[in-house]
Every structure is written in C-alpha cells, then in structure tokens.
Amino acid sequence: MILIQALLLAITANLASGRVWSPITWPFCYPLINGTIVGIILGNPLLGLTAGATINLAYIGWISAGGTMPSNIGIAGVYGTAITVLAGANPELGITLAIPIGLLGTLLWNLQMTLNSFWVHRLDANAEKAELNKVFFNAWLFPQLTSLLINGLPAFLLIFFGQSFFTELLGKIPQSFVNALSVTGSLLPAVGVAMLLNYLGKKRAIPYFIIGFFAASYLGLGTMAIAIFGACIAVLSYFNGRDDEAVSAYEEEPEEEKPELQIQLKRSDLIKHWLIGLGAEVGYNYERMQASGNILAMVPIIRRLYHDPKDISDAMKRYLVFFNTEPSFIGNVIPGICASLEEQRANGADISDEMINGLRTGLMGPLAGIGDSLAGGVIYPIGISLGCTLALQGNFSGPVIFFLMFTGIMLVLGYNLYFMGYKKGSNAVMALLGEGGNSLTKLTDAFGILGLMVVGAMGAQNVMVHLSAVINVGATEVVLQNVLDGLVLNLLPFGLIMGTWQLLKKKVSPIVVVLLLMAIGIIGYYLNILGLGV
C-alpha cells in the first residue's frame, strides 16, 4: 500500500510538472486539481481539496511564460498538500509550506530542462537517418521518464518518513508559531491577486476589480454571481467597441478554395497533428524549447506526405530548430499553417525551409503574447476563482468545473484555430487578429474585465487581515477591527492587495514580497496586532 501511494504521488507530481499533454497537465499543474488528487491518494480527500484550493490562492497571478518559472506551482501544490495532509495541519498552514517548496521546485525544473537537451541531440541523429519510427522514444518516452524520476523522487521520501513523522514534527512546533503561520497564510493570497493586477491592471480597468471586491464585501455576492454580472459587462464592452462595418465586411469575404492536390493530407492526419501538438512541451528543454514536441506532432504529416528518405530527413530537420510559443490555445494556428505549407511543398510548390521556419519564427512571439495573456491572464484566473470558491466550501465540484472549463475552452479554441491555419494558410493570422489588428485585443480586454471582477471577489473573500489589538479608553474597550469595519468593510485586505500591487509595479521581486508578508504575519501575531479572526 505504501509503495503504491508513493508511486501514485510520483505520477501526480510528474503530471503537475512534466508537461505531458496540455489538456491534462496544464490544469493539473494547479494546486486546486493536484491537491485534490493528493488528498485522495493519501486518504483525506477533503483536506486535500481545501489545502490545494488555499495554496492556489497564493498562485492566482503566477504566470509561467517563455520557459521561465518564478516558482514551480505544480511541485508546490503536490508536495505542499502532501505534507499538509500527512501532518494533519490546517489548510492555511499549507500555503506557508507550499511556497518554499515551490521555490525549491524551480531547481527540479532547471534540472529537467537541462537534461531534456540530451534527447534533442538523439532526435538530430534520428533526423539524419530519417528514422521516423524512433521519434516517439526520444521526443516523448525518455523525456517523460527523466521527468518522472526528477519530480517523483521526493514522493518516495515523503512516504518513507510516513504520516507519524510529520504529525510528530507538527506537534513539536509551538502552538503560537503554528498560529502565526496561519495568520501569514491568510495574508499570502494577496500576492497572487496583486500579481494578476500587475498583469491585467490597465488603469481604466482597475475600477472593475474594485467593483468585484466591494460587491462581495458589502452585498455578500458569491463569486458565481459576480462572474455572471462581469460577463454581461464584458459582452457590452466588447460589442460597444467593435467596428461593425469593418467586421461584417471581413466576415463576408469569401474563403479561398484550395486547389486539387495529388498528395493530400487526410482529416485523420490533421486531427493527429493537432492533438499530438497539444503536447508540444513534452520534451521542453533550454536548448531548443518545444522542438521535441513539434517533431513528434509532425510525424503523421511527414509520414503521409514524404516517402523519399532525403525528403523525410529534411522535413524532420525543419522542426528540430528552436521554437517556443503558447502551444495550446492561440498558438494552434501555427501548426495548422505548417501542415498546409508542407502539403503544398509535397505537391511541388516552391516553398523553402527558410520560408517555413521564417514564418514560424515570425509568428511565435506575437502569438505567444496573445496566448499567454488569454490563457494565464483571463481563462485561468476566472476558472480558478470559481473552482477555489466552491472547493473552500468543501464542494468537490470546484476542481471538476475548473478542469472542464479550462480544458474545454482549450480544445474548442485550439481545434478551430488549427483548422483556420490549415485552410487559410499564412492569411490565418490576419483572420485571427481581425480588421486593423484590434478584434482579438478588444476581446481579450473584455475578458480582462470579467477576470478582474471575479478576482476582486476572490480577494475580498480570501485575503484575511484581522486586527486583534484592543485599546482601553477609560472603562471602554475599543476593538480596532470593529472601528475599521464601521468605516469601510474589508479595508485592510483591500489596502494590503493595493500595497502589494504597488510593490510589484516597482519591480520588487514576488519572492521578496512573499518574505515581507510572512514577516508581517509572524511579527504582527507575536506583537498581538494581528490575529486569526473568526
């Protein structure tokens, strides 16, 4: 039983950090999902659910882009929740455990990215010999075994020490320090909210965050209700900003018909290319980033179009160059374009290696910016806010709803953009951006309004700052918290979020901000200024 638990925990850690296949592992990297799974594995699903959701609050604004990782959120969620469950600690304590684990987890990420470079060179050798049948091993299997070893090894150490070790360890910590860490855990979600404000917070959009925050504070509206109101406001904002004449003129433009080709890709080839391409980061490495995943996805296309070993070798080499973009949402348009270009080239069109890779390189930056903003700055925070709200109430539908929402949008959007890229070729980017290049920007801004309102509600509900200080005026006790509540409800949590946001705007490192809040929480508790609240 112990060995099985360790193995399942190791697999969970790899799914959370190994980037196996985006529809599964992207949502799985968030503590709301992986914490719930850890709780099930260790026999305490409810604590895993609430601990994972609590940890996720601190990471609501942590966005990994361009291969950088400020903190390994997947490892933080898995092992932070595991220690919380094994020790039987409260969920608020889980945040203070998870954040340092996440920082140490970046070392595992760096090691994983470095070792995966070895498998890319094995793929180079496969390309020289036109060995399509060996691509799977060096692009998927061996990188995943490497990742499983790196990310899963701590699971065996945790299970080896056992539950009694962590329970006894927690018992040896003075209760006052446990309380101080719990106070700190109530402050740390402010970092996640502030990071998202720093990412989405255009000056004209900040009022929407304030509306969400105080609607939750004064009206007692739940996150779902605020999400509905926010969606209505976002729709109105989008349609009020559209140039309907330009949009309708574009939409009525007839689609170009593709000429009949002697060698044609089947729909099944395109579906395989798209689906496998959702695992573009499976062999993610510092040397060539997504090259391993790209060549793996191209296997069904190359196999259908080319039969001469030299043509196969040349095609493999085209997709083993450095490449990095957001691969699962907006970025799907690029492989769709590539499939179209490869099909035309196989039929004799004058399309060079330089043209294909020049187009890929030119598109990867702009589409990464749009895709990361949409996925990490809009879809994720909205979905995770709804999911965490339900999870913190003990409702297991929270992680399920988030998973279905996040993955569902990914698949629907990715499928349509892939086939847009295939059908329209290089014109697909203009179709995506719309007339004047503003359509998608306006849509993203509209969703940003929704995201800010939902995150505002999350901030009001989950950033807890409770003054325990009491002032004696004669025979009367003045409770400072009651005085502040009489002035503006949730004033201190709002001030903490805004102050944290200002620090981040001034380029103060999020790690420094986390350490600062931890110091404030611990010192404030021992000075009897901050308390646990009710």
Side-chain angles (χ1 to χ4, degrees):
M1 180 63 180
I2 291 177
L3 184 60
I4 293 175
Q5 282 184 321
L7 183 59
L8 290 175
L9 202 60
I11 293 173
T12 303
N14 187 54
L15 287 173
S17 194
R19 306 201 176 194
V20 183
W21 190 56
S22 290
I24 300 296
T25 52
W26 194 337
F28 217 95
C29 80
Y30 298 121
L32 174 64
I33 302 291
N34 60 53
T36 303
I37 300 301
V38 167
I40 293 171
I41 293 171
L42 298 179
N44 195 335
L46 184 59
L47 182 54
L49 173 74
T50 53
T54 304
I55 292 169
N56 214 136
L57 295 176
Y59 287 96
I60 201 168
W62 293 70
I63 298 170
S64 174
T68 62
M69 183 171 285
S71 179
N72 194 329
I73 183 174
I75 293 299
V78 171
Y79 291 120
T81 303
I83 294 175
T84 302
V85 172
L86 289 170
N90 64 58
E92 289 76 19
L93 193 60
I95 292 185
T96 60
L97 296 172
I99 286 180
I101 290 173
L103 295 177
L104 291 174
T106 57
L107 300 178
L108 299 180
W109 174 251
N110 293 339
L111 179 60
Q112 177 180 323
M113 290 278 283
T114 301
L115 292 181
N116 277 344
S117 298
F118 173 77
W119 305 116
V120 177
H121 291 284
R122 292 283 299 268
L123 287 167
D124 288 334
N126 297 150
E128 286 292 339
K129 300 175 183 177
E131 296 173 327
L132 268 181
N133 60 329
K134 293 185 179 180
V135 168
F136 169 78
F137 298 99
N138 292 313
W140 196 96
L141 181 61
F142 296 145
Q144 277 309 297
L145 291 176
T146 302
S147 174
L148 179 63
L149 178 64
I150 292 170
N151 297 307
L153 185 59
F156 289 89
L157 298 177
L158 285 181
I159 298 301
F160 173 78
F161 284 112
Q163 183 170 356
S164 59
F165 171 82
F166 292 101
T167 304
E168 291 173 9
L169 182 63
L170 184 63
K172 292 178 182 178
I173 301 175
Q175 186 60 44
S176 61
F177 190 66
V178 173
N179 291 342
L181 291 179
S182 296
V183 169
T184 299
S186 298
L187 304 181
L188 289 177
V191 180
V193 175
M195 290 185 73
L196 195 63
L197 275 178
N198 201 39
Y199 192 74
L200 290 177
K202 298 176 181 178
K203 287 184 179 180
R204 66 178 183 274
I206 293 301
Y208 295 105
F209 171 82
I210 299 173
I211 290 171
F213 186 94
F214 287 108
S217 300
Y218 278 98
L219 303 179
L221 295 178
T223 307
M224 183 64 74
I226 291 175
I228 293 171
F229 290 131
C232 294
I233 294 173
V235 169
L236 290 173
S237 173
Y238 174 69
F239 282 106
N240 286 338
R242 285 180 69 183
D243 183 347
D244 289 331
E245 291 185 7
V247 171
S248 59
Y250 175 78
E251 289 174 347
E252 292 170 6
E253 183 180 320
E255 185 176 308
E256 293 182 15
E257 290 188 11
K258 283 200 160 197
E260 284 294 325
L261 303 173
Q262 285 188 332
I263 306 172
Q264 286 190 324
L265 291 169
K266 294 184 177 180
R267 187 171 182 82
S268 59
D269 300 324
L270 298 170
I271 294 289
K272 288 176 187 176
H273 183 209
W274 166 59
L275 287 175
I276 298 171
L278 291 174
E281 295 178 338
V282 68
Y284 215 27
N285 62 88
Y286 281 128
E287 185 176 324
R288 278 177 263 177
M289 292 294 183
Q290 297 168 1
S292 299
N294 286 337
I295 183 62
L296 180 64
M298 284 301 297
V299 168
I301 301 295
I302 295 172
R303 184 167 280 139
R304 177 70 62 188
L305 296 177
Y306 302 110
H307 302 287
D308 182 88
K310 185 181 185 308
D311 291 337
I312 293 173
S313 176
D314 290 343
M316 292 175 69
K317 290 176 182 179
R318 280 196 289 278
Y319 296 92
L320 278 171
V321 299
F322 178 94
F323 187 80
N324 193 44
T325 194
E326 182 283 303
S328 308
F329 288 87
I330 303 299
N332 280 280
V333 73
I334 298 178
I337 293 171
C338 290
S340 177
L341 293 176
E342 290 291 347
E343 188 178 46
Q344 294 173 53
R345 175 175 170 140
N347 282 274
D350 186 17
I351 297 174
S352 65
D353 295 352
E354 291 75 16
M355 177 183 174
I356 293 175
N357 276 320
L359 188 143
R360 293 174 74 223
T361 303
L363 292 180
M364 71 180 188
L367 293 188
I370 297 170
D372 287 335
S373 297
L374 180 66
V378 177
I379 299 172
Y380 159 60
I382 293 172
I384 210 70
S385 297
L386 297 174
C388 284
T389 297
L390 292 169
L392 292 171
Q393 297 168 1
N395 191 331
F396 282 90
S397 67
V400 174
I401 288 173
F402 168 68
F403 184 90
L404 293 177
M405 175 183 171
F406 192 86
T407 299
I409 292 173
M410 179 192 299
L411 292 175
V412 171
L413 188 62
Y415 174 88
N416 283 284
L417 288 180
Y418 175 87
F419 279 96
M420 176 192 288
Y422 173 70
K423 292 174 183 176
K424 292 182 177 292
S426 57
N427 293 327
V429 178
M430 287 309 300
L432 177 64
L433 294 177
E435 187 73 23
N438 293 322
S439 181
L440 190 61
T441 300
K442 290 175 182 175
L443 184 61
T444 304
D445 286 344
F447 275 107
I449 290 171
L450 170 57
L452 284 170
M453 288 187 67
V454 170
V455 172
M458 284 292 294
Q461 294 164 355
N462 296 287
V463 178
M464 304 293 179
V465 186
H466 181 81
L467 288 180
S468 58
V470 176
I471 298 176
N472 292 310
V473 180
T476 305
E477 282 190 346
V478 178
V479 181
L480 291 181
Q481 184 64 55
N482 293 341
V483 173
L484 290 177
D485 288 343
L487 292 173
V488 179
L489 201 59
N490 269 346
L491 178 61
L492 286 178
F494 181 76
L496 181 66
I497 292 170
M498 291 293 111
T500 304
W501 177 39
Q502 291 304 310
L503 289 176
L504 294 175
K505 282 182 66 177
K506 294 180 179 179
K507 308 300 182 183
V508 177
S509 167
I511 306 306
V512 174
V513 175
V514 166
L515 294 175
L516 178 61
L517 291 188
M518 292 183 73
I520 290 172
I522 294 171
I523 295 171
Y525 177 81
Y526 279 110
L527 293 178
N528 201 31
I529 297 173
L530 299 177
L532 293 170
V534 292

